[in-house]
Amino acid sequence: MIRAKRLDNGQDLEWTGQSEGIWVDAHDPTPEELTRLRAAFPLNRLALEDALERGHWSRAEQYPEHAFITVRSFTRPADPDEFTERMSLFVFPHAVLSLSHTGTLALTAVWDLVGRESVNTAQEVTYELLDATADTFFQLGDALEGRVEALEEQVFRDQRSNPVGPVFELKHLLGQARRLASEAREATALLGRHANGTSADLVRYRDVQDSFTRVSSRLDGLRDFLTSLLDLHLNLQSQRMNEVMRTLTAVSVIFLPLTFLAGVWGMNFEHMPELKSPYGYLFAWLSFAAVGGVLAVYFKRRGWW
């Protein structure tokens, strides 16, 4: 599918091969559509191969024919998973060609902005697309931060839960997001370093680069926090285990003298006065209760149980 929009007034139009003052957006173009695009735009062969290759990483390059940048972001940043999408931009002095497989969130967000006072040149459209892509990473950061906070609450409230699996799953997702944001930052920096634009355009590219830098730092912070949360969980588990062992030890110590008394009175000596006493059984139970009660009260006051 190919759609087009004029840069000066934002008017949608049917593309018939124009290559000046226009933004052409192509989604998963057919061979026939690629032939039309190559006839209208002087596309560098290497850049086109990168744009059509599935799974390609983010990168940028300044070719003699045009500037080129491709960036990868998450498909559903508000509900993040491992699925990503990619947008490739061929930036000419007076035209922009965007290429993607199914469209991206950034393309959808910027399409209706074209024609406004601040979005009516090829460089401005490129900036808005990259800035909208950076915004998706901030949405991703908000969603992941919510998951991290939920895990933190789970660690403190539910002592029986095991957050190790979700923590490592989130760390894997954060690592992937951090890598994509870093690659997009490097690509934007390279584009701003070599692009043929005005000083205002270069400032815009630095602004996008700063956005990717900030989101990378935020993702690094979340990943470090997850590591600390995992350490905290392990420490809490160790502390709870120590408390259990302390309680079991206290109970064992209480029953130890009772076992001793039962062993003494269980010996088969002939001369044991309390064995023949009518109150011997009662005396034994009172001894058990007194010794166990005294030890239990003592351990309770010392906080050992």
Side-chain angles (χ1 to χ4, degrees):
M1 182 191 76
I2 296 180
R3 58 179 180 171
K5 185 184 285 284
R6 291 190 60 85
L7 294 178
D8 53 359
N9 57 18
Q11 178 184 0
D12 292 341
L13 50 89
E14 182 179 356
W15 186 62
T16 57
Q18 304 98 309
S19 59
E20 292 291 329
I22 194 172
W23 173 17
V24 177
D25 182 33
H27 296 175
D28 199 16
T30 63
E32 293 77 11
E33 290 172 337
L34 277 177
T35 301
R36 292 178 58 198
L37 290 172
R38 298 187 70 173
F41 296 98
L43 302 179
N44 184 276
R45 179 180 59 84
L46 297 177
L48 184 60
E49 288 178 357
D50 288 345
L52 295 178
E53 180 184 350
R54 293 185 180 271
H56 203 283
W57 61 90
S58 300
R59 63 176 294 268
E61 190 62 67
Q62 179 67 43
Y63 294 101
E65 300 87 349
H66 53 74
F68 171 75
I69 184 170
T70 179
V71 291
R72 182 172 292 278
S73 57
F74 283 85
T75 305
R76 294 184 292 270
D79 186 20
D81 50 30
E82 61 182 4
F83 294 101
T84 59
E85 58 189 12
R86 187 163 58 93
M87 170 186 66
S88 300
L89 302 177
F90 300 81
V91 186
F92 299 90
H94 304 290
V96 179
L97 169 62
S98 57
L99 205 61
S100 62
H101 291 291
T102 58
T104 67
L105 295 176
L107 289 169
T108 302
V110 178
W111 184 257
D112 294 332
L113 299 179
V114 177
R116 299 183 182 182
E117 182 178 354
S118 60
V119 192
N120 52 18
T121 68
Q123 300 290 346
E124 290 170 351
V125 169
T126 303
Y127 160 74
E128 292 293 341
L129 288 171
L130 294 175
D131 189 57
T133 302
D135 287 341
T136 64
F137 280 93
F138 282 106
Q139 296 176 28
L140 175 81
D142 291 338
L144 292 178
E145 187 173 354
R147 291 189 185 183
V148 171
E149 291 176 353
L151 274 177
E152 181 184 19
E153 184 176 358
Q154 176 184 343
V155 167
F156 281 100
R157 290 184 177 274
D158 190 357
Q159 298 184 2
R160 297 180 179 273
S161 66
N162 184 9
V164 175
V167 164
F168 277 105
E169 180 181 349
L170 268 180
K171 288 190 69 173
H172 173 73
L173 192 57
L174 281 167
Q176 182 184 12
R178 174 68 172 80
R179 177 173 54 82
L180 293 181
S182 298
E183 291 175 355
R185 178 190 61 196
E186 297 301 324
T188 304
L190 187 61
L191 180 66
R193 190 178 303 121
H194 298 291
N196 296 321
T198 64
S199 57
D201 295 328
L202 300 182
V203 169
R204 293 188 182 98
Y205 289 142
R206 285 196 294 270
D207 178 72
V208 177
Q209 181 184 356
D210 180 66
S211 295
F212 282 119
T213 300
R214 286 187 289 114
V215 77
S216 296
S217 299
R218 183 178 181 184
L219 294 174
D220 281 338
L222 287 175
R223 196 174 187 191
D224 292 340
F225 183 81
L226 277 178
T227 301
S228 301
L229 185 62
L230 186 59
D231 292 339
L232 175 63
H233 167 70
L234 296 177
N235 290 334
L236 288 175
Q237 291 297 319
S238 178
Q239 179 182 354
R240 291 165 188 153
M241 181 62 68
N242 290 336
E243 292 174 354
V244 171
M245 294 302 298
R246 185 173 59 186
T247 301
L248 292 177
T249 302
V251 172
S252 300
V253 171
I254 290 174
F255 279 94
L256 184 62
L258 307 185
T259 304
F260 170 76
L261 292 176
V264 169
W265 287 324
M267 292 186 292
N268 297 320
F269 288 106
E270 181 178 356
H271 301 288
M272 294 184 70
E274 58 268 31
L275 295 181
K276 296 180 180 181
S277 171
Y279 304 104
Y281 183 71
L282 177 61
F283 175 75
W285 271 109
L286 290 176
S287 300
F288 292 158
V291 173
V294 170
L295 289 175
V297 171
Y298 177 76
F299 290 156
K300 187 67 175 179
R301 289 184 177 181
R302 294 296 298 268
W304 294 351
W305 125 314

